[in-house]
Amino acid sequence: NKFFKIDKKMTPKKLLTIDVRTLKKTGLSKQKVQYIKNISLFFIKENKFIRKIDHYEESIIKEKLIKIKGVGNWTIDMFLIFSLGHTNIAPIGDLGFNKAISKLYNKKLPLKDRYLLKLYKLWSPYNSMATWYLWRSLDPIPVSY
């Protein structure tokens, strides 16, 4: 909310004009401010790619986004789930995802990659939906995804 109080209709171009101190006042660290500016630059420079992003294979999207300093696999997974609506994403780097599996399946953390792959195959092509249920199992407060 603090971030969008700066400008309710924030765009990558607008963000690049905002002073670092102003962005830090929203609670962002200097590092996060730089990462957000990196993402903004990417959206501006790669406008053609972004406009047609839903036409690209997931692997191409991941390959492009991972090159942005400050963007990792977790960020890409969240983008694929919440921005692009991909239905088969299992965010294995997400603490809540792993914690819920550990709790519900009585498995010790850290979970083995082999076990996560087994669940991925079992839940395919609905891993994103399974993820929502896993997150919800940890949080009793209603949330709208």
Side-chain angles (χ1 to χ4, degrees):
N1 288 333
K2 290 179 188 178
F3 180 81
F4 285 105
K5 279 185 182 176
I6 296 170
D7 189 327
K8 288 187 193 269
K9 295 183 180 181
M10 187 64 72
T11 66
K13 284 182 183 176
K14 284 182 188 177
L15 188 124
L16 291 174
T17 66
I18 299 170
D19 184 64
V20 172
R21 288 184 300 256
T22 302
L23 291 169
K24 284 179 70 178
K25 286 179 186 174
T26 67
L28 296 169
S29 68
K30 185 179 177 182
Q31 194 75 21
K32 292 259 193 229
V33 168
Q34 189 55 57
Y35 292 162
I36 290 170
K37 288 190 177 248
N38 292 345
I39 294 167
S40 293
L41 280 170
F42 176 85
F43 271 68
I44 292 165
K45 288 179 182 175
E46 297 286 344
N47 185 274
K48 189 175 175 181
F49 171 75
I50 294 301
R51 279 187 285 124
K52 296 183 180 230
I53 198 166
D54 53 344
H55 293 91
Y56 289 97
E57 294 286 325
E58 200 170 278
S59 61
I60 301 296
I61 296 169
K62 287 181 177 186
E63 187 180 301
K64 282 267 211 193
L65 296 179
I66 201 73
K67 292 177 183 174
I68 306 168
K69 185 172 172 78
V71 172
N73 289 316
W74 181 87
T75 304
I76 294 168
D77 286 343
M78 296 306 111
F79 179 73
L80 291 171
I81 292 171
F82 293 109
S83 294
L84 298 183
H86 286 210
T87 59
N88 202 28
I89 305 298
I92 62 170
D94 183 77
L95 180 61
F97 176 80
N98 284 283
K99 194 173 177 182
I101 291 171
S102 171
K103 186 177 175 182
L104 293 170
Y105 290 90
N106 199 25
K107 296 285 185 182
K108 290 189 186 234
L109 291 172
L111 300 171
K112 295 189 183 329
D113 288 343
R114 189 172 27 133
Y115 184 71
L116 289 170
L117 180 60
K118 178 182 168 187
L119 292 177
Y120 180 83
K121 288 178 180 176
L122 178 68
W123 297 335
S124 284
Y126 305 107
N127 276 281
S128 298
M129 287 65 140
T131 299
W132 296 337
Y133 281 106
L134 289 164
W135 285 332
R136 293 296 303 129
S137 75
L138 297 175
D139 190 0
I141 299 169
V143 175
S144 176
Y145 295 113

mmCIF file of all heavy atoms in Angstrom, residues 2 9 41 63 65 88 93 107 111 113 137:
data_model
loop_
_atom_site.group_PDB
_atom_site.id
_atom_site.type_symbol
_atom_site.label_atom_id
_atom_site.label_comp_id
_atom_site.label_asym_id
_atom_site.label_seq_id
_atom_site.Cartn_x
_atom_site.Cartn_y
_atom_site.Cartn_z
ATOM 1 N N LYS A 2 1.929 1.227 0.798
ATOM 2 C CA LYS A 2 2.819 2.391 0.863
ATOM 3 C C LYS A 2 3.427 2.673 -0.504
ATOM 4 O O LYS A 2 3.561 3.818 -0.906
ATOM 5 C CB LYS A 2 3.938 2.162 1.884
ATOM 6 C CG LYS A 2 3.491 2.152 3.312
ATOM 7 C CD LYS A 2 4.679 1.885 4.217
ATOM 8 C CE LYS A 2 4.277 1.672 5.645
ATOM 9 N NZ LYS A 2 5.450 1.375 6.482
ATOM 10 N N LYS A 9 -1.045 4.414 -10.293
ATOM 11 C CA LYS A 9 -0.892 3.829 -11.626
ATOM 12 C C LYS A 9 0.597 3.762 -11.975
ATOM 13 O O LYS A 9 1.044 4.310 -12.978
ATOM 14 C CB LYS A 9 -1.677 4.649 -12.651
ATOM 15 C CG LYS A 9 -3.165 4.597 -12.413
ATOM 16 C CD LYS A 9 -3.934 5.350 -13.454
ATOM 17 C CE LYS A 9 -5.423 5.255 -13.155
ATOM 18 N NZ LYS A 9 -6.223 5.935 -14.142
ATOM 19 N N LEU A 41 13.620 -1.548 -15.859
ATOM 20 C CA LEU A 41 14.449 -1.400 -17.065
ATOM 21 C C LEU A 41 14.217 -2.556 -18.028
ATOM 22 O O LEU A 41 14.105 -2.359 -19.240
ATOM 23 C CB LEU A 41 15.933 -1.325 -16.702
ATOM 24 C CG LEU A 41 16.425 0.018 -16.209
ATOM 25 C CD1 LEU A 41 17.849 -0.105 -15.647
ATOM 26 C CD2 LEU A 41 16.397 1.050 -17.330
ATOM 27 N N GLU A 63 14.301 -18.316 -18.754
ATOM 28 C CA GLU A 63 15.646 -17.991 -19.243
ATOM 29 C C GLU A 63 15.852 -16.478 -19.345
ATOM 30 O O GLU A 63 16.911 -15.963 -18.995
ATOM 31 C CB GLU A 63 15.835 -18.646 -20.618
ATOM 32 C CG GLU A 63 17.213 -18.566 -21.204
ATOM 33 C CD GLU A 63 17.247 -19.253 -22.560
ATOM 34 O OE1 GLU A 63 16.939 -20.460 -22.628
ATOM 35 O OE2 GLU A 63 17.580 -18.568 -23.541
ATOM 36 N N LEU A 65 13.962 -14.013 -17.725
ATOM 37 C CA LEU A 65 13.773 -13.336 -16.448
ATOM 38 C C LEU A 65 14.919 -13.562 -15.472
ATOM 39 O O LEU A 65 15.256 -12.672 -14.695
ATOM 40 C CB LEU A 65 12.444 -13.746 -15.811
ATOM 41 C CG LEU A 65 11.174 -13.358 -16.567
ATOM 42 C CD1 LEU A 65 9.937 -13.856 -15.827
ATOM 43 C CD2 LEU A 65 11.103 -11.860 -16.797
ATOM 44 N N ASN A 88 0.759 -25.152 -13.696
ATOM 45 C CA ASN A 88 1.582 -26.301 -13.306
ATOM 46 C C ASN A 88 2.929 -25.876 -12.709
ATOM 47 O O ASN A 88 3.962 -26.423 -13.040
ATOM 48 C CB ASN A 88 1.794 -27.232 -14.500
ATOM 49 C CG ASN A 88 2.143 -28.640 -14.066
ATOM 50 O OD1 ASN A 88 1.755 -29.083 -12.987
ATOM 51 N ND2 ASN A 88 2.886 -29.343 -14.892
ATOM 52 N N GLY A 93 11.325 -23.637 -4.135
ATOM 53 C CA GLY A 93 12.139 -22.765 -3.297
ATOM 54 C C GLY A 93 11.335 -21.981 -2.273
ATOM 55 O O GLY A 93 11.884 -21.214 -1.497
ATOM 56 N N LYS A 107 7.011 -35.337 6.597
ATOM 57 C CA LYS A 107 8.366 -35.457 6.066
ATOM 58 C C LYS A 107 9.257 -34.418 6.735
ATOM 59 O O LYS A 107 8.812 -33.307 7.032
ATOM 60 C CB LYS A 107 8.392 -35.223 4.547
ATOM 61 C CG LYS A 107 7.619 -36.247 3.749
ATOM 62 C CD LYS A 107 8.378 -37.527 3.689
ATOM 63 C CE LYS A 107 7.690 -38.545 2.798
ATOM 64 N NZ LYS A 107 8.407 -39.796 2.770
ATOM 65 N N LEU A 111 13.259 -31.165 2.249
ATOM 66 C CA LEU A 111 12.683 -32.237 1.439
ATOM 67 C C LEU A 111 13.644 -32.624 0.329
ATOM 68 O O LEU A 111 14.338 -31.774 -0.225
ATOM 69 C CB LEU A 111 11.349 -31.774 0.840
ATOM 70 C CG LEU A 111 10.277 -31.367 1.855
ATOM 71 C CD1 LEU A 111 9.101 -30.723 1.148
ATOM 72 C CD2 LEU A 111 9.826 -32.557 2.679
ATOM 73 N N ASP A 113 14.877 -33.667 -3.333
ATOM 74 C CA ASP A 113 14.461 -33.324 -4.695
ATOM 75 C C ASP A 113 13.675 -34.466 -5.337
ATOM 76 O O ASP A 113 12.702 -34.235 -6.042
ATOM 77 C CB ASP A 113 15.676 -32.995 -5.562
ATOM 78 C CG ASP A 113 16.294 -31.652 -5.197
ATOM 79 O OD1 ASP A 113 15.619 -30.839 -4.526
ATOM 80 O OD2 ASP A 113 17.449 -31.416 -5.587
ATOM 81 N N SER A 137 -3.256 -24.405 3.868
ATOM 82 C CA SER A 137 -3.219 -25.320 5.010
ATOM 83 C C SER A 137 -2.410 -24.729 6.167
ATOM 84 O O SER A 137 -2.583 -25.130 7.310
ATOM 85 C CB SER A 137 -2.643 -26.677 4.591
ATOM 86 O OG SER A 137 -1.233 -26.596 4.412
#
